[in-house]
Amino acid sequence: LFSKAQAEYRKGNNQSAVILGEQVISKDQDFLAVYPILASAYERIGQKDKALKYYFDYVLKSEKSKNKKHLTQAYIKLGWFYQLEGQYAKAQELYDKAIKLSRELKDKLNEGVALRKLAVWHIDKKNFEQALDLLTKSVYINLEHPRNFENAKNLACDYFDIGLVFANKNDYAAAKDFYEKSRKIFEQLKLENELSDCYFNLGEICLFEKEYQKASDYYFRGLKIDQNQNNKV
């Protein structure tokens, strides 16, 4: 059931992912890996209250079972939810917890993710040098195992967010370069759902440079992906 839920989520069939995920929990409430899929699927279809419930459940169930690796991931995902809602103090607190816990566990993979999320927090606050420092640390972690799927995915996210830093600093050539690096890795990994943001941000660069037709083309490519993935958010 979990594998089917995960597959449906990756294909953008969010309602199916929700139904299957709920079935998993009805059989085993301690099946931790299903909680973030359920939460994210609900988030995609615009049901934020249910998304928040399952992110909270992910934290509480991870704490109860003393599964510190899942707890690190739960802190990160709940922190990101709060950040998207503009609740920056709560987000920062959760990222700090995730960084501390991942370092205690010597869990480099989740440490890199937490550093990257905190970097985006700093981008939102216009602290670009702090953001770049955190992203550089995350890149270093992920380059240690470039053939590992999760590290490669996280590296693509690192490059995307470095592009975001340069775009905010009006260095459009550098921003475009890092967005393209990110896009190529996502394409190699066949992570179509990650590509829409790459296209949107490349469109933003074209807009800033007054290349309006290129901007429009990128926006529509991103829009098509989100429509296919039923990503209403």
Side-chain angles (χ1 to χ4, degrees):
L1 279 172
F2 171 73
S3 294
K4 287 179 181 178
Q6 193 174 46
E8 290 298 301
Y9 174 78
R10 286 177 176 169
K11 289 187 286 188
N13 299 332
N14 301 307
Q15 201 61 54
S16 296
V18 162
I19 292 168
L20 290 163
E22 296 278 12
Q23 288 178 28
V24 172
I25 287 176
S26 71
K27 292 178 180 293
D28 182 2
Q29 292 189 2
D30 295 323
F31 200 109
L32 297 175
V34 79
Y35 284 93
I37 289 177
L38 257 175
S40 187
Y42 272 122
E43 197 171 359
R44 276 184 178 179
I45 59 180
Q47 295 190 33
K48 291 183 180 179
D49 288 346
K50 287 199 171 182
L52 182 59
K53 174 195 179 301
Y54 281 109
Y55 283 133
F56 259 118
D57 285 350
Y58 189 28
V59 171
L60 295 173
K61 294 287 183 183
S62 298
E63 286 177 339
K64 184 179 178 182
S65 64
K66 297 181 180 177
N67 190 318
K68 292 184 177 181
K69 189 163 187 176
H70 270 292
L71 182 57
T72 305
Q73 295 173 3
Y75 285 150
I76 293 168
K77 291 183 181 297
L78 182 57
W80 184 243
F81 180 90
Y82 279 133
Q83 183 166 337
L84 293 177
E85 292 296 301
Q87 298 188 49
Y88 287 99
K90 288 183 179 180
Q92 185 182 29
E93 181 183 350
L94 287 161
Y95 295 151
D96 287 341
K97 284 184 177 181
I99 292 168
K100 182 181 178 183
L101 188 54
S102 62
R103 286 175 176 168
E104 286 175 7
L105 298 171
K106 294 181 171 54
D107 179 359
K108 287 287 189 180
L109 186 66
N110 280 317
E111 181 186 348
V113 176
L115 290 170
R116 187 181 77 246
K117 296 296 187 182
L118 184 58
V120 179
W121 187 97
H122 280 289
I123 292 171
D124 286 355
K125 295 291 185 178
K126 310 297 182 186
N127 302 328
F128 301 127
E129 296 311 313
Q130 292 96 319
L132 203 53
D133 179 60
L134 291 165
L135 288 166
T136 301
K137 290 175 181 175
S138 182
V139 166
Y140 181 78
I141 288 170
N142 290 312
L143 282 174
E144 289 182 338
H145 304 285
R147 294 185 180 179
N148 178 281
F149 178 86
E150 290 298 327
N151 286 109
K153 176 186 173 183
N154 291 339
L155 183 61
C157 293
D158 291 335
Y159 286 153
F160 179 89
D161 290 334
I162 291 172
L164 194 59
V165 171
F166 282 117
N168 276 279
K169 295 174 76 171
N170 300 324
D171 187 342
Y172 300 136
K176 190 183 295 183
D177 182 47
F178 278 101
Y179 288 149
E180 285 291 359
K181 284 182 178 182
S182 176
R183 181 182 63 82
K184 286 176 183 175
I185 296 173
F186 284 137
E187 286 180 345
Q188 289 166 3
L189 298 176
K190 295 181 169 55
L191 289 171
E192 187 180 12
N193 61 304
E194 299 284 356
L195 287 171
S196 61
D197 281 342
C198 291
Y199 288 133
F200 294 141
N201 283 34
L202 284 165
E204 291 289 277
I205 299 299
C206 291
L207 185 67
F208 295 147
E209 295 181 334
K210 302 188 186 303
E211 295 184 272
Y212 300 121
Q213 187 56 54
K214 281 187 180 179
S216 179
D217 290 344
Y218 277 128
Y219 289 147
F220 275 110
R221 288 175 79 177
L223 177 61
K224 185 177 180 181
I225 289 171
D226 281 341
Q227 288 173 329
N228 289 342
Q229 294 279 324
N230 193 28
N231 191 343
K232 295 184 185 300
V233 175

